[in-house]
Amino acid sequence: MPLLGRSELTKIKASGWLSSFWTAALAGGQHGGIDLRLGDTTFGFGSCEVRPATREVVVDGLLRSVPPKVFDLLVFLLAARPRAVSNAQLISDVWAVDTLSESVLARTVMLARRLIGDSADAPVWIQNVYGFGYRFTGPVVERARPPSTPASAP
């Protein structure tokens, strides 16, 4: 079930504000071979839960503040798993541009790893695919979003 109605989605698409990734996710479709029918799905892994519909990340039971592009990157990698995603596709779909410094991408990945308690030295969740891009690894449980959210954010 799409998160927005067709008329709202048309207005947002016309504004150019959303990347093609989020346009497809909100419409409940596919993009670049990745199933984006996220609806009220949450992704659970380790002590983390990612809620795309409400743009929330819960770590160790606490709602965390997440920069927009870090959230977008994390959801994109989760939706693409177990596929590896190229740097070019991440830049195109998460930032909705053709060119972007790879250092910006690397910093966003670093922040996403830090958020979920991962590291580049011993990655458990976000793995670098040398010379290509990134992949989300490890077991992930998809489930319907719970009715309540934690009371506080750090």
Side-chain angles (χ1 to χ4, degrees), residues 29-44:
Q30 293 222 351
H31 181 72
I34 298 169
D35 185 2
L36 297 175
R37 291 172 288 192
L38 301 176
D40 282 342
T41 299
T42 64
F43 299 98

Side-chain angles (χ1 to χ4, degrees), residues 18-153:
L18 286 178
S19 69
S20 56
F21 163 71
W22 279 108
T23 301
L26 291 170
Q30 293 222 351
H31 181 72
I34 298 169
D35 185 2
L36 297 175
R37 291 172 288 192
L38 301 176
D40 282 342
T41 299
T42 64
F43 299 98
F45 53 94
S47 63
C48 303
E49 185 173 279
V50 178
R51 302 169 180 165
T54 56
R55 297 188 62 85
E56 295 174 329
V57 176
V58 177
V59 180
D60 294 325
L62 295 174
L63 186 61
R64 302 293 304 268
S65 176
V66 184
K69 292 302 178 195
V70 172
F71 184 85
D72 294 349
L73 176 97
L74 187 57
V75 170
F76 194 88
L77 290 173
L78 282 162
R81 75 181 196 296
R83 275 185 37 199
V85 181
S86 72
N87 290 341
Q89 185 177 8
L90 286 169
I91 290 167
S92 172
D93 292 340
V94 174
W95 278 267
V97 297
D98 294 328
T99 58
L100 182 80
S101 165
E102 290 214 9
S103 65
V104 172
L105 174 59
R107 177 159 173 73
T108 305
V109 169
M110 178 200 67
L111 292 171
R113 283 178 169 148
R114 187 178 294 163
L115 171 72
I116 62 175
D118 205 7
S119 74
D121 296 331
V124 174
W125 305 112
I126 300 175
Q127 177 186 26
N128 182 21
V129 179
Y130 182 75
F132 181 74
Y134 297 91
R135 155 184 24 242
F136 198 93
T137 60
V140 176
V141 176
E142 290 186 37
R143 57 186 168 263
R145 184 179 51 163
S148 62
T149 59
S152 62

